[in-house]
Amino acid sequence: DGGITQSPKYLFRKEGQNVTLSCEQNLNHDAMYWYRQDPGQGLRLIYYSQIVNDFQKGDIAEGYSVSREKKESFPLTVTSAQKNPTAFYLCASRTRGQPLNTEAFFGQGTRLTVV
Amino acid sequence: SQQGEEDPQALSIQEGENATMNCSYKTSINNLQWYRQNSGRGLVHLILIRSNEREKHSGRLRVTLDTSKKSSSLLITASRAADTASYFCAPLNYNTDKLIFGTGTRLQVFP
């Protein structure tokens, strides 16, 4: 059953703690993305990766870090430097370089709450 | 910015009416994609239109693209209550691969 999986669905974190959100895909996609969504707002790009062992900052990368050691996995760490981390986080993936398949597939999201 | 901006921000209609949403962008693109998001869920791809296409249909969806005006529109015909969701456009340039979304249009369809 192919798809993109985010875990956990809900996550609670104490202030000052780092936390890692998981994103795994078995679609053989090259590109992966992390977005943040605040209530009633659009999606803001945090980081994206076009290929294994490479990634670029998006529009709101401060306080976040990522790695791309495997094609299937693109974990996001929300560090204590992120001042307002409570939000809904979405991961997406898509094929690159093939004009016929450039739509993105999204996970179901992780809702992070800082307590 | 490669970001698309949707208009209007919110739209309320009755079942059976048509809903039109617009998207404007600023840079050159290879394609433009429309997505739908139900509350609290991930986005789902609806339709993709390439830069050399002017119009595309998929079921009750009709998308147009005007690259000279850097704008696109999404028309949902004969809307249903189940169409209630937020709709986002994402212009894409293959050189950057940066998939950026706007703030979306929140569509409410009343039975």
Side-chain angles (χ1 to χ4, degrees):
Chain A
D1 189 19
I4 179 164
T5 303
Q6 290 186 242
S7 62
K9 190 172 182 180
Y10 298 96
L11 189 56
F12 295 88
R13 186 196 98 173
K14 291 184 178 179
E15 278 194 36
Q17 288 183 338
N18 293 355
V19 63
T20 297
L21 282 60
S22 170
C23 179
E24 303 276 335
Q25 54 96 1
N26 60 4
L27 301 166
N28 199 33
H29 286 168
D30 294 305
M32 296 187 74
Y33 303 81
W34 273 107
Y35 298 91
R36 170 184 172 136
Q37 187 175 35
D38 292 288
Q41 303 298 312
L43 279 68
R44 291 186 288 169
L45 182 64
I46 304 172
Y47 269 98
Y48 66 108
S49 169
Q50 296 170 292
I51 198 168
V52 174
N53 292 322
D54 188 37
F55 49 83
Q56 286 79 41
K57 292 181 180 180
D59 300 322
I60 56 164
E62 186 175 350
Y64 300 97
S65 66
V66 294
S67 63
R68 188 82 188 278
E69 298 176 0
K70 298 186 298 180
K71 189 175 186 178
E72 305 79 22
S73 179
F74 191 41
L76 173 74
T77 297
V78 184
T79 74
S80 56
Q82 170 52 235
K83 297 306 178 188
N84 186 21
T86 294
F88 187 51
Y89 291 86
L90 285 164
C91 180
S93 70
R94 55 177 280 271
T95 300
R96 292 186 64 238
Q98 295 181 23
L100 293 178
N101 291 292
T102 58
E103 69 202 69
F105 291 79
F106 280 79
Q108 289 304 302
T110 292
R111 192 166 299 279
L112 173 65
T113 302
V114 174
V115 297
Chain B
S1 167
Q2 188 179 311
Q3 180 178 345
E5 292 296 340
E6 296 87 354
D7 173 66
Q9 289 189 331
L11 181 61
S12 295
I13 59 175
Q14 295 290 131
E15 264 190 329
E17 294 180 341
N18 295 342
T20 299
M21 289 158 263
N22 303 297
C23 171
S24 60
Y25 58 93
K26 295 181 179 177
T27 62
S28 63
I29 63 170
N30 295 99
N31 68 55
L32 188 140
Q33 305 172 31
W34 284 92
Y35 291 79
R36 165 195 169 125
Q37 183 184 32
N38 286 79
S39 182
R41 307 298 295 272
L43 275 68
V44 175
H45 179 262
L46 293 176
I47 193 167
L48 180 154
I49 186 164
R50 303 188 195 288
S51 58
N52 61 353
E53 297 175 316
R54 292 295 167 259
E55 187 171 313
K56 199 163 183 180
H57 297 256
S58 176
R60 294 185 295 113
L61 304 180
R62 172 180 170 252
V63 168
T64 62
L65 179 65
D66 187 335
T67 53
S68 66
K69 294 182 180 178
K70 290 186 167 57
S71 67
S72 173
S73 67
L74 172 67
L75 169 67
I76 303 174
T77 60
S79 63
R80 306 165 182 168
D83 294 328
T84 294
S86 291
Y87 293 82
F88 296 88
C89 70
L92 182 65
N93 183 300
Y94 293 159
N95 289 334
T96 66
D97 266 334
K98 213 172 172 183
L99 196 62
I100 298 181
F101 296 84
T103 54
T105 293
R106 289 186 298 281
L107 174 65
Q108 176 91 46
V109 181
F110 292 99

